[in-house]
């Protein structure tokens, strides 16, 4: 019994910290519960079907106009036929003649994008958007109707936003997946062909999510306190420096995994951890919250080196330690400059 008491006393911050991390994950999970959207899927499919029918009619109208006017149908006349088609319906019409784009209803698509779209059958997943495709071919013409499903911006701010076609009435926080996935709803076209899987946002309880965030912050504080107590013994400078390096590698590895997998979900669901206020292409600095975490790790490591490692010139071993400390300080300095530079630019 005394052994357990000694372990609890010497590692209490570690035990409590890990326990609070699990508690924060439970709170975060309870704060984001899935909701059944089965009733909405039928309505969404009907709305997609209506857009399909409208696109088919427009394609047929364009086909008849081309047959009647042939080469006399110019771009100005074509644009006059369908003003604000994309703005009102999310539909774009592209007409090719002998594989050359000759008519279009708007300028949202570059030739590179259309080349990526055309080979697909009924759906196109681009880097930043998803379009349903309708087409009609009559040599030498090919007529394509592109129906916007959603715009997906990897970086969101006041000007760049992810959204779905308003005609579909799908929550903008939803996600589209190319393959069926657990918890998703299959969306098909009017012919019953698979289009994509739709994943609705979970129902969020802000109080639980905020509680989870504060519990996680307190848990991290306890863990940092535990790591700080490591070097209070009489270990050599070499051992102390090695401990600091291992702790730094561990902390940066955890941060890298968090940024890559967006884990935990409740943390990356708040505005501070989204690229609204601050955004960078760096994996570690995708948001202002990520920036604060990396800065906190650097401050922690700098403080540990200053407090625990004593500079001494009496021996070769100590000279090596001194050299390692100087190199570490230089690295931390340049990382700090990099962080400040990112903060100013982004």
């Amino acid at each position: 019994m005394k052994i357990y008491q000694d372990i609890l006393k010497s590692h209490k911050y570690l035990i409590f910290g890990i326990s609070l991390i699990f508690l924060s994950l439970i709170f975060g999970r309870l704060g984001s519960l899935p909701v059944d959207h089965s009733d909405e899927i039928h309505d969404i499919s009907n709305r997609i079907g209506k857009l399909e029918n409208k696109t088919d009619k427009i394609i047929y109208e364009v086909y008849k106009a081309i047959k009647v006017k042939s080469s006399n149908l110019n771009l100005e006349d074509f644009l006059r036929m369908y003003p604000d088609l994309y703005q009102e319906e999310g539909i774009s019409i592209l007409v090719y003649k002998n594989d050359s784009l000759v008519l279009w209803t708007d300028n949202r698509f570059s030739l590179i994008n259309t080349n990526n779209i055309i080979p697909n059958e009924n759906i196109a997943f681009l880097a930043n958007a998803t379009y349903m495709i309708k087409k009609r071919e009559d040599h030498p013409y090919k007529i394509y109707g592109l129906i916007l499903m959603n715009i997906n911006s990897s970086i969101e701010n006041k000007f760049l936003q992810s959204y779905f076609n308003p005609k579909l009435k799908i929550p903008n926080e939803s996600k589209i997946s190319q393959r069926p996935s657990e918890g998703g709803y299959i969306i098909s076209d009017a012919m019953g062909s698979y289009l994509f899987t739709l994943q609705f946002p979970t129902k969020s309880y802000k109080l639980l999510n905020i509680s989870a965030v504060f519990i996680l912050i307190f848990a991290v504080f306890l863990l940092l306190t535990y790591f700080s107590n490591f070097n209070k013994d009489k270990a050599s400078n070499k051992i102390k420096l090695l401990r600091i390096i291992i702790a730094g590698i561990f902390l940066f590895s955890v941060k890298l995994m968090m940024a890559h997998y967006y884990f935990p979900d409740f943390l990356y669901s708040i505005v501070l951890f989204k690229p609204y206020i601050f955004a960078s292409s760096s994996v570690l600095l995708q948001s202002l919250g990520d920036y604060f975490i990396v800065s906190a790790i650097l401050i922690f490591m700098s403080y540990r080196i200053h407090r625990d490692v004593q500079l001494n010139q009496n021996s070769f071993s100590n000279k090596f330690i001194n050299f390692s400390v100087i190199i570490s300080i230089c690295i931390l300095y340049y990382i700090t400059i990099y962080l400040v530079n990112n903060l100013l630019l982004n």
Side-chain angles (χ1 to χ4, degrees):
M1 192 69 179
K2 189 176 185 304
I3 296 175
Y4 293 115
Q5 289 177 346
D6 292 339
I7 293 175
L8 181 61
K9 184 177 180 180
S10 57
H11 300 287
K12 59 183 178 181
Y13 291 122
L14 177 64
I15 296 171
F16 290 146
I18 293 175
S19 301
L20 287 178
I21 287 176
F22 281 108
L23 182 62
S24 70
L25 294 176
I26 293 173
F27 271 63
R29 180 62 63 181
L30 293 175
S32 302
L33 297 176
V35 179
D36 185 22
H37 295 275
S38 302
D39 296 337
E40 299 175 42
I41 297 302
H42 178 70
D43 296 332
I44 292 172
S45 297
N46 285 340
R47 295 179 195 122
I48 291 176
K50 290 179 181 178
L51 289 175
E52 282 188 80
N53 293 334
K54 184 159 190 173
T55 305
D56 285 334
K57 290 178 181 177
I58 294 174
I59 289 176
Y60 183 65
E61 291 172 0
V62 173
Y63 168 74
K64 288 195 301 181
I66 290 174
K67 281 297 185 181
V68 172
K69 295 186 178 183
S70 186
S71 59
N72 295 324
L73 183 62
N74 59 39
L75 180 59
E76 186 177 350
D77 294 334
F78 188 70
L79 293 173
R80 197 179 295 119
M81 289 171 60
Y82 305 103
D84 302 324
L85 180 61
Y86 183 88
Q87 286 75 9
E88 294 177 0
E89 304 288 344
I91 298 173
S92 296
I93 304 297
L94 306 173
V95 180
Y96 282 77
K97 182 178 181 181
N98 294 322
D99 295 326
S100 296
L101 183 62
V102 292
L103 298 171
W104 58 90
T105 54
D106 59 82
N107 296 319
R108 293 190 65 85
F109 304 95
S110 66
L111 290 175
I112 295 176
N113 279 341
T114 52
N115 286 335
N116 290 334
I117 290 173
I118 290 170
N120 292 275
E121 293 184 359
N122 63 345
I123 194 77
F125 297 96
L126 302 183
N128 64 339
T130 306
Y131 292 93
M132 186 177 178
I133 302 172
K134 307 293 290 184
K135 55 189 174 183
R136 181 172 185 141
E137 298 185 22
D138 189 350
H139 187 75
Y141 291 99
K142 296 178 182 178
I143 308 170
Y144 293 89
L146 307 178
I147 308 171
L148 175 68
M149 296 290 106
N150 80 319
I151 295 292
N152 182 28
S153 297
S154 56
I155 295 179
E156 297 185 9
N157 52 41
K158 186 167 59 176
F159 306 102
L160 296 174
Q161 294 286 329
S162 297
Y163 63 90
F164 279 79
N165 187 338
K167 290 289 183 180
L168 300 180
K169 298 181 180 179
I170 297 175
N172 290 333
E173 296 80 12
S174 304
K175 302 294 182 182
I176 280 181
S177 173
Q178 298 185 34
R179 297 179 180 84
S181 58
E182 185 179 354
Y185 297 87
I186 291 178
I187 303 296
S188 304
D189 61 13
M191 301 299 293
S193 300
Y194 175 81
L195 289 176
F196 54 82
T197 297
L198 184 63
Q199 294 177 318
F200 287 92
T202 55
K203 186 175 182 180
S204 179
Y205 296 91
K206 289 186 177 180
L207 182 59
L208 286 173
N209 282 335
I210 293 173
S211 300
V213 171
F214 279 106
I215 291 173
L216 183 62
I217 292 172
F218 186 59
V220 171
F221 173 77
L222 290 178
L223 291 177
L224 290 179
T225 303
Y226 174 77
F227 287 130
S228 295
N229 291 333
F230 263 177
N231 281 346
K232 286 189 175 180
D233 55 14
K234 295 182 179 179
S236 65
N237 277 345
K238 187 183 294 184
I239 297 299
K240 289 181 178 181
L241 183 61
L242 183 61
R243 289 173 178 173
I244 294 172
I245 292 173
I246 292 174
I249 292 173
F250 172 75
L251 292 173
F252 275 112
S253 299
V254 171
K255 178 65 196 75
L256 192 62
M257 292 177 63
M258 288 174 60
H260 181 73
Y261 294 105
Y262 295 101
F263 177 83
D265 296 340
F266 64 85
L267 189 65
Y268 282 89
S269 66
I270 61 179
V271 175
L272 189 64
F273 284 85
K274 291 183 178 181
Y276 289 110
I277 307 169
F278 170 90
S280 170
S281 57
S282 172
V283 178
L284 288 172
L285 304 175
Q286 297 181 33
S287 66
L288 193 60
D290 292 314
Y291 184 96
F292 286 154
I293 291 177
V294 172
S295 301
I297 294 174
L298 288 176
I299 292 171
F300 171 73
M301 291 185 64
S302 301
Y303 170 71
R304 287 284 306 276
I305 291 174
H306 172 74
R307 189 198 70 177
D308 300 334
V309 181
Q310 304 298 321
L311 297 179
N312 194 322
Q313 298 181 355
N314 293 333
S315 67
F316 174 78
S317 176
N318 284 329
K319 288 179 180 179
F320 175 76
I321 295 297
N322 295 347
F323 176 76
S324 301
V325 170
I326 293 171
I327 293 297
S328 301
I329 292 172
C330 290
I331 292 173
L332 292 175
Y333 170 76
Y334 281 109
I335 293 176
T336 304
I337 295 298
Y338 173 76
L339 288 175
V340 173
N341 186 50
N342 264 276
L343 185 61
L344 294 175
L345 292 177
N346 298 297

